[in-house]
Amino acid sequence: MDWDEIEKLAADFQNAQLSSNLQKLTESNCIEIVSKLIETKRLDVVFTNDRKEYVTRQYLKTQIIDELSFHGGRMNLNDIAQILNVSLTQITTLANEIQTCDSSIHAVIGYLINEEYWGQMMKDINDKLWQHHYVKVVDLTLFYNLPAEFIRTTIETALTRKIITNVEVTQDKQIYYTNRFIKTNKAKIRGALSAVTKPISLYLVSKECSVPDFVIFPILGDLQQKKQLSGIVTGDQIKTSMFLPHIYVKNQTQWIHDFYKQNGYLEYDALARLGISDPKHTIKKYFPNDDIIFLDSVAVNNIIVDQLKTIANDIINTKSFTDVRDYLPSMLTDQDIQIFLNKILENCPVKVFMETVLVSDDFLQSLLQSLYKIAENKAQMIVTSGKWIQLICEDKIKFKNDDSIVRNNKTHKKEERRKKATSGKAGGGNQGRETKTKSTKKKYLQQKFNEDLSDEENTYIKDKNVEHELVSLEDITAELLKNREIAAIDDLADKLALVLQQKVNEYALSCAEKLAESSDAFNTDELKKDLIILVTNIKMFNESIELFEQQGQRTSLIEYLMKSLCRDFVTRLFKLASLQNKLQYPDNIDFNAIKKVLVELPSDVQEPLNDIYSAVTKCVIKDFLNLTTPALQACSVIQKKHNKDINKQIIFTHKEALLKELKITQDSALALNLVTSLLFTAATQNIIHMSGRHVSMVLSFLQSYIIPETAELLNKYCDLVRSSISSTENIEKMEAQEALKNKLEKIKVIPDNINIHIKT
């Protein structure tokens, strides 16, 4: 169906409607016919918003163009949609089609603009340009409510059509201005800057000459290019930029070069007073080849650096010191001096005091050596006076108190955890859920016997000595002031004393410690170790005595043990208590006289020591062993748990000592005693403490452990020893001594292969 047929059909349709009722179609028939035509795409129409009317797209385009012309050439698409009663979507689509087909109509952000409005817009912009000499795109955007890009396109089109002429634009294309405007402002700026003889702010020039900011730099650039500007411009921001006349720049440059050459530095404030806004950049520009150090307030050249390095080398070579303040610029701040000297003296054996005093490390070392003599005297005095022991005891008490607090806190936390564990996670009592606890085992490395017996709580922490001041600051300062060169500089002695005191004091403490270690007054730690070793040996000797079946034999050995080692233990224990409580205790005091010390001891120490003294006097080994722990605790000696590994170590150490003594001895009686002890140890894996009169008794005990040949040899040798001692006949005694001498080596080699002498 072509268009002629459609027009014919429409005419028939109209005639039918105008004819009588019998010939008219119903409304529903009309809708059905039109819908069929639209469905078969034989009719292209646009419905109105109420769906009661429809128009062709071509007719709608014509109406849009007519409405646009009627409303002055610019109209909002929303307004067009309301007037024509058609949806905005259809209007927008048709507007884009109109713009595509008709270049004189533009669709811009919801507006339709025709050529008439656009041309008038160009004329208006031209009028604004000639009225104000410049226009800003942003102002036009706000005025016309159109995008900036469309405004720029409008102006460029106007320039092309010659509607707007003699106009230039800024580099960012935000401002358009006339050539006349540029010429006028160029004349103002050229005249103003030609009369300037000192630096002036471009912001001030712009304000005084009523020249807009945006044309200042284009005009200055043009003037400089044409060499019509007798000066230079610094900066790139209108508010911070300065104009420097050539005459001023010349004088300024001359002053900068002369001052820098004569003094070796340039002050930033001085350059700022000359109108230089960026002093560091200017200095780099004037002196690009110089090695300059830029500080906070001044720039220093290598002349001063070389001077100070020479001075530093001199004091290093001469092992001395000097004040370099006179060699530094007077306006340097304390921070500048610190940065400057640190940079120069990097990796140099020189220290800086009082900001400008350079002191070589060798000079400081020489001062230390002279002060060490004072430290040695102070250490000697404090040890001799007994104050050193008092300091040590105070440290120990403090350490124990701190350690007690820590242990109490740990105990408290353990109790809290234990309560939580017993209460369970779901509440208290048996109703709560059972809480599982994982046990852990600590692994310890085996150490030597003495290390195992030492206890951490009884060791003295030497680091705490640092808290004590043996050599005061006043002592060090007084000694330093004897040096006239140091005294000539105010407060230098005080500053040096502060630095040197720690090392001097540490040396004094070290000297005091060494002096005290060499005296009996400082042997408490050694006494504690000896006591622990001694009581451990006594317990093991007592265990060996229990192997003897006869009561008489046990009594004899116990009596000898009590009168020898147990008395020695008590004597050492009383000595330790005396030293701890600052009491006089003679070195060679008799056992019966040591009880006099008891009355001077504190009550908490007096009672356990009196009990163990009584046990030794009565020769009751059981009471003695029971009382050793409380007696040791009273003297702050804590024993570790009995350990089989320690026992093995003791046995091994005891055996080695016996072998060493046997190797060097030539005494027959002593050799027999030693061999018997070694055989006892090999046979029973225990150690025994006996005298010479116990040898025959021990040999009788060993009859069931050693082979008969060895037993016979030892018994005969024992008889010879007895004869050599008890015989009244000189001939018999000499014969016995000769026999002992001949058989001595045979006796001494028994321990070399002791296992063959033990029954298997």
Side-chain angles (χ1 to χ4, degrees):
M1 180 180 289
D2 55 13
W3 182 250
D4 293 335
E5 292 176 345
I6 292 172
E7 287 181 344
K8 183 179 179 182
L9 184 60
D12 293 341
F13 181 69
Q14 186 175 8
N15 292 331
Q17 290 291 325
L18 295 174
S19 63
S20 60
N21 290 340
L22 293 175
Q23 295 177 338
K24 285 185 178 181
L25 295 174
T26 63
E27 185 175 346
S28 59
N29 289 334
C30 292
I31 293 173
E32 184 178 354
I33 293 171
V34 172
S35 299
K36 187 66 175 178
L37 291 172
I38 294 172
E39 183 181 347
T40 56
K41 296 183 180 181
R42 294 184 177 184
L43 185 63
D44 186 12
V45 293
V46 176
F47 284 95
T48 58
N49 290 333
D50 56 7
R51 308 293 293 182
K52 291 182 178 181
E53 296 180 0
Y54 48 85
V55 293
T56 62
R57 300 176 68 86
Q58 186 62 37
Y59 178 76
L60 194 55
K61 287 180 183 179
T62 303
Q63 283 189 312
I64 291 171
I65 295 171
D66 292 343
E67 289 292 336
L68 181 61
S69 300
F70 180 76
H71 286 87
R74 174 176 173 172
M75 195 171 183
N76 193 303
L77 295 180
N78 278 323
D79 296 338
I80 296 175
Q82 289 180 1
I83 293 172
L84 299 180
N85 195 23
V86 179
S87 67
L88 180 61
T89 303
Q90 294 289 347
I91 295 298
T92 303
T93 302
L94 292 173
N96 291 330
E97 291 178 3
I98 293 171
Q99 180 186 17
T100 304
C101 298
D102 191 350
S103 59
S104 63
I105 297 179
H106 308 278
V108 184
I109 60 168
Y111 286 96
L112 273 182
I113 299 174
N114 62 11
E115 187 68 26
E116 180 183 355
Y117 181 86
W118 201 34
Q120 185 60 42
M121 183 178 168
M122 294 177 191
K123 293 177 181 179
D124 292 343
I125 292 173
N126 186 49
D127 292 341
K128 290 179 182 292
L129 274 170
W130 289 105
Q131 182 179 358
H132 301 289
H133 305 295
Y134 69 92
V135 291
K136 295 182 178 180
V137 172
V138 64
D139 294 338
L140 295 175
T141 299
L142 295 173
F143 180 77
Y144 289 107
N145 193 20
L146 292 171
E149 190 60 35
F150 184 77
I151 296 293
R152 280 193 285 270
T153 302
T154 301
I155 297 175
E156 295 297 332
T157 304
L159 289 170
T160 303
R161 297 179 181 180
K162 305 295 184 181
I163 297 174
I164 299 176
T165 57
N166 300 323
V167 172
E168 296 182 14
V169 64
T170 57
Q171 189 173 3
D172 57 1
K173 295 186 178 182
Q174 293 297 321
I175 303 174
Y176 290 84
Y177 46 84
T178 63
N179 291 339
R180 182 180 178 184
F181 174 76
I182 290 295
K183 290 179 181 179
T184 301
N185 287 293
K186 185 183 291 185
K188 290 181 181 179
I189 293 173
R190 184 171 53 238
L193 297 182
S194 297
V196 170
T197 58
K198 63 180 182 178
I200 187 171
S201 170
L202 290 183
Y203 179 75
L204 182 61
V205 173
S206 172
K207 186 177 179 181
E208 292 295 328
C209 297
S210 301
V211 178
D213 298 348
F214 63 88
V215 296
I216 287 287
F217 286 104
I219 290 173
L220 290 174
D222 184 60
L223 291 174
Q224 285 180 327
Q225 187 176 3
K226 294 178 180 180
K227 297 182 179 181
Q228 296 178 358
L229 195 63
S230 58
I232 59 174
V233 178
T234 63
D236 54 3
Q237 298 292 328
I238 186 68
K239 291 187 177 180
T240 57
S241 297
M242 300 289 294
F243 174 75
L244 307 178
H246 283 318
I247 185 63
Y248 181 82
V249 172
K250 182 179 179 181
N251 294 335
Q252 181 191 75
T253 302
Q254 187 65 39
W255 182 90
I256 291 173
H257 277 87
D258 291 345
F259 188 90
Y260 180 77
K261 185 176 181 180
Q262 292 174 7
N263 299 282
Y265 69 90
L266 285 171
E267 188 183 1
Y268 300 153
D269 288 344
L271 297 181
R273 288 192 293 271
L274 294 176
I276 298 174
S277 58
D278 190 352
K280 291 183 180 180
H281 177 74
T282 301
I283 294 171
K284 289 178 182 178
K285 184 176 71 173
Y286 282 142
F287 310 102
N289 299 323
D290 286 11
D291 187 11
I292 300 174
I293 297 176
F294 291 94
L295 304 175
D296 290 346
S297 61
V298 68
V300 183
N301 72 354
N302 52 3
I303 296 176
I304 298 178
V305 173
D306 293 340
Q307 287 179 349
L308 290 177
K309 285 184 177 180
T310 302
I311 294 170
N313 290 330
D314 288 342
I315 65 172
I316 291 171
N317 295 330
T318 58
K319 300 180 181 180
S320 60
F321 69 95
T322 188
D323 190 347
V324 297
R325 184 172 291 278
D326 294 339
Y327 297 93
L328 297 172
S330 59
M331 76 292 303
L332 283 180
T333 63
D334 294 343
Q335 186 176 0
D336 282 340
I337 293 174
Q338 182 181 359
I339 296 172
F340 184 54
L341 292 180
N342 287 342
K343 191 165 184 178
I344 294 175
L345 302 176
E346 189 177 1
N347 300 324
C348 190
V350 174
K351 300 291 185 296
V352 181
F353 290 85
M354 298 173 61
E355 298 170 357
T356 58
V357 179
L358 306 186
V359 183
S360 69
D361 289 352
D362 290 337
F363 181 74
L364 288 175
Q365 194 62 34
S366 66
L367 292 179
L368 276 176
Q369 294 302 324
S370 63
L371 293 171
Y372 282 164
K373 296 178 181 178
I374 298 176
E376 291 171 358
N377 294 334
K378 290 284 185 180
Q380 184 67 45
M381 289 172 56
I382 195 170
V383 172
T384 305
S385 65
K387 291 182 179 179
W388 176 255
I389 301 299
Q390 186 177 354
L391 291 175
I392 301 305
C393 293
E394 288 174 357
D395 280 349
K396 290 182 178 180
I397 293 170
K398 181 180 178 181
F399 173 69
K400 287 179 182 177
N401 291 338
D402 294 342
D403 193 47
S404 176
I405 292 171
V406 173
R407 286 200 302 269
N408 290 337
N409 289 337
K410 289 183 177 179
T411 303
H412 181 66
K413 291 179 179 179
K414 285 181 179 178
E415 289 176 356
E416 288 183 351
R417 289 196 294 267
R418 193 179 296 112
K419 288 178 181 178
K420 291 179 180 178
T422 54
S423 64
K425 294 184 179 178
N430 296 329
Q431 301 299 324
R433 182 179 177 182
E434 183 183 25
T435 303
K436 295 181 180 179
T437 58
K438 181 180 180 181
S439 64
T440 58
K441 294 183 179 179
K442 295 182 180 178
K443 297 181 180 179
Y444 299 94
L445 294 174
Q446 293 184 352
Q447 299 178 355
K448 293 182 179 179
F449 174 62
N450 289 340
E451 294 174 344
D452 285 333
L453 293 178
S454 65
D455 191 282
E456 193 174 78
E457 296 177 4
N458 292 316
T459 57
Y460 172 63
I461 299 179
K462 295 182 181 179
D463 291 344
K464 291 189 176 289
N465 285 343
V466 180
E467 296 178 0
H468 302 301
E469 184 181 278
L470 300 189
V471 186
S472 66
L473 278 173
E474 291 75 13
D475 296 333
I476 298 174
T477 304
E479 181 66 20
L480 294 176
L481 287 173
K482 294 178 182 179
N483 186 316
R484 293 183 179 179
E485 294 179 350
I486 295 177
I489 301 177
D490 294 340
D491 300 329
L492 179 58
D494 295 333
K495 301 297 183 183
L496 289 171
L498 284 171
V499 174
L500 298 174
Q501 188 199 17
Q502 182 178 356
K503 289 187 177 180
V504 174
N505 208 45
E506 288 175 356
Y507 181 77
L509 291 168
S510 176
C511 291
E513 185 179 348
K514 291 177 181 177
L515 290 170
E517 285 176 352
S518 62
S519 66
D520 291 335
F522 199 76
N523 284 334
T524 54
D525 288 342
E526 292 300 323
L527 275 173
K528 290 178 182 180
K529 292 179 181 180
D530 293 343
L531 286 168
I532 295 172
I533 295 171
L534 196 53
V535 74
T536 306
N537 286 337
I538 291 170
K539 289 178 180 179
M540 295 188 68
F541 290 142
N542 184 57
E543 291 175 2
S544 298
I545 294 172
E546 296 296 327
L547 297 175
F548 290 84
E549 296 179 356
Q550 297 181 20
Q551 181 63 37
Q553 293 176 342
R554 292 200 298 270
T555 303
S556 177
L557 288 168
I558 288 171
E559 184 178 351
Y560 176 69
L561 181 64
M562 293 293 289
K563 289 183 178 180
S564 56
L565 295 184
C566 293
R567 283 195 175 196
D568 185 24
F569 175 82
V570 173
T571 304
R572 290 172 182 266
L573 189 63
F574 271 68
K575 183 177 181 179
L576 176 62
S578 301
L579 292 175
Q580 288 177 334
N581 291 279
K582 308 299 181 294
L583 302 178
Q584 294 295 327
Y585 190 89
D587 290 337
N588 299 320
I589 192 170
D590 184 68
F591 175 77
N592 297 320
I594 62 173
K595 196 171 183 180
K596 296 178 182 178
V597 180
L598 277 174
V599 295
E600 299 182 29
L601 294 172
S603 58
D604 59 335
V605 180
Q606 194 177 106
E607 184 178 350
L609 264 63
N610 184 52
D611 292 342
I612 198 168
Y613 179 83
S614 300
V616 173
T617 305
K618 296 174 183 178
C619 284
V620 183
I621 188 66
K622 185 176 180 180
D623 292 347
F624 172 82
L625 294 175
N626 290 334
L627 292 169
T628 53
T629 300
L632 288 171
Q633 288 178 345
C635 295
S636 301
V637 182
I638 301 175
Q639 293 177 270
K640 286 192 173 183
K641 254 185 176 182
H642 206 59
N643 192 325
K644 290 183 179 180
D645 292 333
I646 294 178
N647 287 352
K648 290 179 181 179
Q649 182 68 31
I650 293 174
I651 292 171
F652 177 79
T653 306
H654 181 74
K655 185 168 64 175
E656 289 294 316
L658 293 177
L659 288 169
K660 186 177 180 181
E661 191 174 1
L662 177 63
K663 185 177 181 180
I664 61 175
T665 187
Q666 295 299 320
D667 188 332
S668 302
L670 178 58
L672 179 62
N673 190 322
L674 295 172
V675 171
T676 305
S677 297
L678 287 167
L679 284 169
F680 182 88
T681 300
T684 64
Q685 296 303 311
N686 285 288
I687 57 175
I688 190 168
H689 182 66
M690 64 179 181
S691 64
R693 59 192 180 88
H694 295 116
V695 171
S696 59
M697 180 181 69
V698 175
L699 285 174
S700 299
F701 172 80
L702 291 174
Q703 294 299 316
S704 60
Y705 290 94
I706 59 178
I707 60 177
E709 293 81 1
T710 305
E712 183 181 358
L713 175 63
L714 293 174
N715 285 326
K716 287 181 179 180
Y717 201 81
C718 184
D719 292 339
L720 289 171
V721 171
R722 193 180 297 113
S723 297
S724 68
I725 296 173
S726 60
S727 178
T728 56
E729 297 292 335
N730 290 335
I731 297 175
E732 185 180 352
K733 181 181 289 189
M734 290 180 63
E735 289 177 351
Q737 289 176 351
E738 185 66 26
L740 288 171
K741 187 176 180 181
N742 294 333
K743 294 182 179 181
L744 178 60
E745 291 302 321
K746 192 174 182 180
I747 293 295
K748 289 175 69 174
V749 298
I750 290 175
D752 292 345
N753 198 1
I754 201 165
N755 290 332
I756 65 173
H757 299 279
I758 305 297
K759 291 180 180 180
T760 56

